[in-house]
Amino acid sequence: MTSTASVSTVPPSDDRVLSGMRPTGALHLGHYHGALKNWVQLQNTHRCFFFVADWHALTTHYETPETIASHTTEMVIDWLAAGVDPAKATLFVQSRVLEHAELFLLLGMGTPLSWLERVPTYKDQIANLKDKDLTTYGFLGYPLLQAADILIYLARYVPVGADQIPHIEMSREIARRFNNLYGKDPQIEAQARAAAAKLPEDVRQQYHALRRAADQEGLTEKRDEARQLIAASKLSRAEKDALRAQLGGGRRQILREPEVLLTPESKLPGLDGRKMSKSYGNAIAIREERASVEHKVRRMPTDPARVKRTDPGNPERCPVWQFHLAYSDAPTREWVQRGCTTAGIGCLECKQPVIDAILREQQPMLERAQPYLDNPRLVRDILADGCDKARAVAQQTMQTVRDAMGLKG
Ligand code: TRP
Ligand code: SF4
């Protein structure tokens, strides 16, 4: 126990990936082109855990819990439709791995309220969602619950959109603080305490203040200052070494600091050109009826300047062009550019290749979804199996966490 390097409880090759989605029901093509396609790739290269964040849904929808179960099934069918493969990735439901709640509770003991209050979405959401009372304990704790979700699997990578970066950053701080508080190496601590006792009173206090700032607030420059203080002291070489070991970590890495794996934003906007979102009514579902896809695309707004068929248009001002950018090859795009700007093609004509491309993309997804729609039991079995696997990992972490905190059962 003389090494001062931080010791990881995770083998370095085991780069676990974890991500979650709130159960919103059926997903749309924006989810597919954003998150899901990315998950499908990651499951081939990493050990992936993907979960339904149903407790998270309750932080904002605690008054309507009855929708959660059906939304969970619908969403997981869409994951499977998109190609998420239960033989490669572990799919599970948060509320069925109770260990998340235990870690959430334990982490809550030492998490400063100010960390939660300063998460950018916190005050925004309370202001934006005026029809809901979000001044609850659960809503304030949302990012801490998310930290527990991630840390309990010792995940290395968390694929999320840019909006989630502050949450992952906070998970890192929480892991760091946990390791600082509970990952102490008792031998190093004892030697360092003995050495510090020999420092003059004022220097000792200064040293402790600097170390606390470095450990708990992550201020690395304070660590450098503390090192200089040690170097300038009259302690023996061994005593200086002990203090430096304490400063340089002397901590076991019990919880791992996760990294954001930024998901590029979907190139596909909604039917009206704004971001695709169910609440805007501008979405195409992953499993949308063929006739409905045709209907929706035909009704899409186009360049407002193109009133009559004979008016030339400008694709840059038309949401249909964005769909061509997402779906069409170069010759088709040239055909659109020329046809639109010369009034050589009509808008319905222009939309047909988009309709065809969407239907082509959806076909294999519909086929993959069908067995699960015919037999929802299959979905339940996949989730039950995934929950068991996830729980086994979570239980292991909790054992280490309880030990580190001195909770011996
Ligand atoms: N907060 C995420 C969202 O709204 C969902 C989520 C909950 C999550 N726990 C997570 C994502 C853990 C990644 C990792 O999209
Ligand atoms: Fe849009 Fe195509 Fe019509 Fe031009 S021709 S306005 S790109 S739909």
Side-chain angles (χ1 to χ4, degrees), residues 16 47-49 85-92 96-97 153 381-396:
R16 282 185 203 146
R47 176 149 180 227
C48 291
F49 292 80
D85 181 352
K88 296 177 179 165
T90 301
L91 312 185
F92 69 99
R96 288 200 236 151
V97 184
Y153 298 100
D381 289 348
I382 288 170
L383 291 176
D385 180 54
C387 288
D388 286 346
K389 289 188 180 134
R391 196 177 301 113
V393 176
Q395 281 176 347
Q396 255 182 8

Side-chain angles (χ1 to χ4, degrees), residues 274-316:
R274 290 186 294 171
K275 188 179 159 70
M276 190 180 281
S277 158
K278 201 151 55 175
S279 59
Y280 290 162
N282 65 0
I284 299 177
I286 286 185
R287 291 175 281 126
E288 179 112 22
E289 298 262 338
R290 186 188 175 93
S292 171
V293 172
E294 289 171 352
H295 181 70
K296 283 182 171 178
V297 176
R298 292 210 175 106
R299 272 190 17 218
M300 272 178 81
T302 58
D303 176 359
R306 210 175 169 202
V307 184
K308 295 196 298 295
R309 165 70 178 78
T310 47
D311 296 333
N314 177 359
E316 294 305 323

Side-chain angles (χ1 to χ4, degrees), residues 18-22 51 53 56 142 146 149-150 158 160 164 167:
L18 172 119
S19 198
M21 271 189 212
R22 297 158 58 113
F51 75 100
H56 283 271
Y142 186 113
Q146 182 163 354
D149 298 337
I150 298 168
V158 187
V160 284
Q164 296 290 312
H167 293 168

Side-chain angles (χ1 to χ4, degrees), residues 300-306 311-322 324 335-337 339-341 343 345-351:
M300 272 178 81
T302 58
D303 176 359
R306 210 175 169 202
D311 296 333
N314 177 359
E316 294 305 323
R317 298 174 46 185
C318 176
V320 179
W321 173 241
Q322 298 304 313
H324 277 293
W335 170 78
V336 173
Q337 283 289 346
C340 179
T341 51
I345 57 171
C347 289
L348 278 179
E349 222 177 314
C350 178
K351 288 169 172 177

Side-chain angles (χ1 to χ4, degrees), residues 9-11 14-18 47-51 88-92 96-100 102-103 148-156 254-256 384-402:
T9 52
V10 194
D14 185 4
D15 288 341
R16 282 185 203 146
V17 166
L18 172 119
R47 176 149 180 227
C48 291
F49 292 80
F50 299 129
F51 75 100
K88 296 177 179 165
T90 301
L91 312 185
F92 69 99
R96 288 200 236 151
V97 184
L98 298 179
E99 284 74 10
H100 288 231
E102 185 184 357
L103 185 57
D149 298 337
I150 298 168
L151 301 179
I152 206 162
Y153 298 100
L154 307 175
R156 165 108 189 243
I254 300 162
L255 296 178
R256 173 175 218 166
D385 180 54
C387 288
D388 286 346
K389 289 188 180 134
R391 196 177 301 113
V393 176
Q395 281 176 347
Q396 255 182 8
T397 308
M398 285 318 297
Q399 203 50 55
T400 338
V401 164
R402 287 186 213 115

